[in-house]
Amino acid sequence: MSVPTWKWFIEYTHPTQAHMHGVERFVFSSKTKYQVVEIIDTEFYGRCLVLDGKIQSSEHDEYIYHETLIQPAMILHPEPKSVMIIGGGEGAVLREILRHPSVEQIVMVDIDREVVELCKEYLPSWHQGSFNDPKVKVLYMDARKYLQKTDDVFDIIYMDLTEPIDDGPSYLLFTKQFYQLVSDRLADDGIIALQAGSFNPRLLECHAAVCNTLATSFPVVRSYHSFIPSYDAVWGFALASKVHDPLELSISEVDKRITARGIEELKYYDGETHQTMFSIPKDVRTAKEKEKRIIADDRPLITY
Ligand code: SAM
């Protein structure tokens, strides 16, 4: 077999571990005010958005990440009307939320206008025109500043943020002070859902600490997960709520709600997937029980 002659993109997941992707084309590369942006066409996963060296999502598996982040909370809420997205650059979260007919308004707050404009141009299969939907309002500012000044109240708030890396724009959005701010801007039966770090046994501290910290503001906090092929990792998510509990949704109830809302295009999420996602392996449960850390503004969580 001949040796491949690809150019390689190397994503470090740790100083001693990396994943390599054979690249067909380096499409775009630049530094915005907030982060380094690259768009690359890989042979295996197709087009990828890379921020500060980390793959955010890829053409061939982004549906898994985005349906996982968005659909459980949307289905859990009986009638989501007002939804906020914190971050969300690619616009695929908009696409997933807009599948639900009850939605009346979506406010997306991303700090980086340049990233969003690049996603609009280079990632059309992610947003599928969702930025043009009249229900959607996009604001370009720090989401924490927005939540501090707004009086709006939301049924669901999603956090689709970059990892909390040192000097990155998102690390103050993983603290107990921030989660309290989110809780204050949620309706009485409001829900928050977020990506919450890897389930890799060497990296579990992040997920466990995020769940612990969410529990300072929310009575219901549930971990869930999906394998994201382009991350080569089982990725953790968290859903927290004042009332609703995703563990109370049976397989048939999830499927019933999807059908009742006339949603036909989902490729990953259904009742059976819901049950699998919220079934948490023992090592993760143990790590969460042992974790004592509460993430705070003066003691933020910084991942690699
Ligand atoms: N799917 C992704 C992942 O791998 O987790 C996250 C997607 S999205 C590209 C992340 C977005 O969060 C970026 O567009 C970035 O500009 C935005 N972001 C980071 N910090 C932010 C902040 N403080 N306020 C609002 N948006 C922020």
Side-chain angles (χ1 to χ4, degrees):
M1 205 171 118
S2 61
V3 178
T5 54
W6 299 106
K7 290 190 166 45
W8 295 97
F9 166 70
I10 300 177
E11 177 182 10
Y12 285 88
T13 51
H14 183 266
T16 64
Q17 195 197 199
H19 298 144
M20 291 171 69
H21 299 264
V23 174
E24 281 180 337
R25 195 159 78 97
F26 291 93
V27 179
F28 183 89
S29 175
S30 175
K31 188 170 185 329
T32 72
K33 191 172 159 198
Y34 301 100
Q35 49 213 337
V36 176
V37 192
E38 292 163 282
I39 295 172
I40 54 179
D41 285 346
T42 64
E43 194 282 333
F44 202 81
Y45 291 112
R47 186 154 290 188
C48 296
L49 173 69
V50 182
L51 295 181
D52 286 332
K54 306 267 186 206
I55 292 191
Q56 302 296 302
S57 56
S58 91
E59 184 178 354
H60 294 316
D61 72 353
E62 59 83 10
Y63 70 93
I64 300 178
Y65 174 91
H66 290 111
E67 288 186 28
T68 300
L69 175 63
I70 301 302
Q71 295 305 337
M74 290 301 286
I75 288 295
L76 181 61
H77 196 286
E79 200 183 20
K81 290 184 177 162
S82 173
V83 182
M84 178 185 178
I85 302 160
I86 298 176
E90 298 101 317
V93 287
L94 290 174
R95 178 196 75 209
E96 290 300 320
I97 295 165
L98 285 166
R99 295 191 195 289
H100 294 257
S102 61
V103 170
E104 291 171 358
Q105 68 144 349
I106 309 174
V107 179
M108 169 172 155
V109 184
D110 196 300
I111 201 167
D112 199 333
R113 180 190 287 265
E114 276 182 76
V115 164
V116 176
E117 293 299 334
L118 288 165
C119 292
K120 282 184 190 171
E121 182 177 350
Y122 288 105
L123 310 181
S125 71
W126 275 251
H127 58 77
Q128 297 177 13
S130 302
F131 287 107
N132 299 327
D133 192 290
K135 295 173 185 170
V136 172
K137 182 161 86 175
V138 183
L139 303 172
Y140 299 104
M141 63 187 293
D142 177 24
R144 185 162 173 156
K145 292 208 173 86
Y146 170 80
L147 282 172
Q148 276 161 345
K149 75 170 184 50
T150 187
D151 293 328
D152 286 353
V153 171
F154 299 94
D155 296 316
I156 304 180
I157 297 183
Y158 289 105
M159 294 178 56
D160 186 30
L161 282 168
T162 39
E163 297 279 291
I165 59 168
D166 208 4
D167 281 342
S170 71
Y171 73 93
L172 283 178
L173 278 59
F174 288 83
T175 68
K176 70 171 180 181
Q177 290 84 355
F178 183 69
Y179 293 149
Q180 187 54 48
L181 199 53
V182 171
S183 171
D184 293 344
R185 305 281 19 112
L186 278 171
D188 289 345
D189 66 344
I191 304 173
I192 167 178
L194 56 144
Q195 71 95 344
S198 174
F199 269 23
N200 182 310
R202 297 290 312 278
L203 306 171
L204 271 176
E205 188 200 341
C206 168
H207 183 77
V210 165
C211 290
N212 234 10
T213 307
L214 282 167
T216 61
S217 292
F218 296 95
V220 180
V221 179
R222 300 295 182 198
S223 295
Y224 65 112
H225 62 95
S226 280
F227 178 74
I228 310 293
S230 57
Y231 296 0
D232 200 13
V234 176
W235 206 256
F237 295 78
L239 185 155
S241 156
K242 300 184 180 184
V243 182
H244 301 295
D245 186 345
L247 299 189
E248 287 169 6
L249 283 183
S250 65
I251 293 179
S252 59
E253 181 59 24
V254 171
D255 289 337
K256 204 171 97 189
R257 291 187 189 191
I258 292 172
T259 307
R261 295 182 192 187
I263 299 170
E264 290 173 352
E265 311 85 352
L266 298 178
K267 290 194 277 187
Y268 182 72
Y269 180 78
D270 67 359
E272 197 166 328
T273 306
H274 180 95
Q275 198 172 58
T276 310
M277 283 173 170
F278 283 90
S279 176
I280 302 302
K282 185 175 176 184
D283 60 342
V284 179
R285 282 183 274 130
T286 306
K288 285 172 63 180
E289 278 158 24
K290 285 192 180 153
E291 182 60 51
K292 298 283 172 272
R293 178 164 180 196
I294 305 285
I295 306 162
D297 285 352
D298 60 357
R299 209 172 153 244
L301 174 76
I302 304 292
T303 59
Y304 177 73

